[in-house]
Amino acid sequence: MKRGKFIVIEGGDGSGKTTLLKSVGEVFPLKKFRLTREPGGTPLSEIIRGVMLSDEARRASAETQFCLAWAARAHHLQNLVVPALESGVHVISDRFDSSTFAFQVHGQEAPHLEGLFREIRRIYLGRYAPDMYIFLHVSPKVGMRRTAGRVGERNHFDRRKFEFHQKVTEGYLDFFKKINPPHVIIDASKSLEEVKRNFHQALCNIIGRK
Ligand code: TMP
């Protein structure tokens, strides 16, 4: 059986990521896809997510969050992602290791973790590194303007100040430059219609027509 494709979607607040993920079914038969998220995706990894985003972890160091994220990722990969790919299903993950690079190495200012990041990435992901990352790029300023007044759950990372989100955005760009996995960067400051079109086109390019 042909292995499914492993696709990651990343994008900050106000990038339209949630809306776009919901729109996958408009273009492709959903039974061919498994939509999942990080941290999370499996019951154990969702528990780790709860820990990472708890108020208790508000002041947790980059080292602590880094290891929690990778622990959750290992379990998610082994128990959900790999079995789905091997059964010919495409996996779309809302966030993946690019978020650890952006949030912990950059946002939480831990450049000394970059070497470990590369090593753990090589060992943990092995043959299952994502086939494509799609990054919805929007400046935090535009993103924050779009989400102002939006009600909903906000974790302690979301509540951090502008400078943190700026570093996270730079972190994503640094990830694509330095790690350089297969990726597409979509300008998400454009209208939702246009971003959606580009997103669907990117998906078609990876997995072929429906
Ligand atoms: P969200 O995806 O529902 O917005 O929440 C996930 C939060 O977790 C988000 O603020 C980014 C953060 N995060 C990390 O700090 N490190 C990671 O490795 C991942 C996957 C997410």
Side-chain angles (χ1 to χ4, degrees):
M1 175 169 309
K2 207 164 146 227
R3 187 161 125 178
K5 296 285 186 204
F6 183 15
I7 300 155
V8 171
I9 169 156
E10 291 277 7
D13 256 3
S15 65
K17 184 169 60 124
T18 311
T19 313
L20 294 183
L21 280 167
K22 286 191 189 137
S23 78
V24 172
E26 292 170 18
V27 194
F28 299 99
L30 273 181
K31 61 177 187 322
K32 279 194 178 174
F33 284 90
R34 183 76 202 254
L35 299 183
T36 185
R37 69 169 180 181
E38 286 219 347
T42 63
L44 177 60
S45 302
E46 289 289 333
I47 292 173
I48 302 175
R49 176 191 178 89
V51 173
M52 286 178 71
L53 303 182
S54 66
D55 276 340
E56 206 59 53
R58 195 159 42 98
R59 290 206 189 82
S61 67
E63 287 79 5
T64 300
Q65 293 284 19
F66 181 96
C67 285
L68 286 169
W70 276 108
R73 183 160 305 125
H75 195 264
H76 179 217
L77 194 72
Q78 291 157 2
N79 294 279
L80 186 151
V81 179
V82 170
L85 296 176
E86 291 300 347
S87 66
V89 169
H90 303 303
V91 174
I92 300 186
S93 183
D94 178 353
R95 301 189 186 279
F96 200 61
D97 62 326
S98 25
S99 277
T100 310
F101 198 86
F103 279 77
Q104 276 66 59
V105 179
H106 278 261
Q108 293 196 275
E109 297 184 60
H112 58 287
L113 293 180
E114 192 179 315
L116 181 61
F117 178 90
R118 288 174 185 271
E119 189 70 357
I120 206 167
R121 181 176 201 273
R122 188 178 60 77
I123 296 168
Y124 277 29
L125 305 190
R127 296 190 298 118
Y128 294 97
D131 295 294
M132 186 58 73
Y133 290 79
I134 301 177
F135 178 46
L136 304 167
H137 184 214
V138 67
S139 76
K141 215 184 234 165
V142 173
M144 278 172 157
R145 205 183 306 137
R146 282 181 178 170
T147 56
R150 191 189 280 177
V151 280
E153 257 181 53
R154 303 187 80 228
N155 66 54
H156 61 81
F157 287 121
D158 299 333
R159 291 196 299 266
R160 290 191 188 204
K161 48 185 202 281
F162 175 78
E163 288 72 31
F164 178 81
H165 297 285
Q166 187 70 43
K167 278 185 279 181
V168 168
T169 303
E170 286 160 14
Y172 281 116
L173 297 174
D174 200 43
F175 173 84
F176 294 119
K177 202 164 98 199
K178 284 191 185 146
I179 308 291
N180 196 22
H183 66 276
V184 183
I185 298 178
I186 293 177
D187 180 356
S189 64
K190 301 259 174 68
S191 73
L192 186 60
E193 275 319 300
E194 193 168 346
V195 177
K196 206 171 176 181
R197 218 173 22 247
N198 292 335
F199 173 63
H200 290 166
Q201 187 59 53
L203 284 182
C204 285
N205 293 345
I206 305 156
I207 58 177
R209 271 277 154 207
K210 2 180 192 172

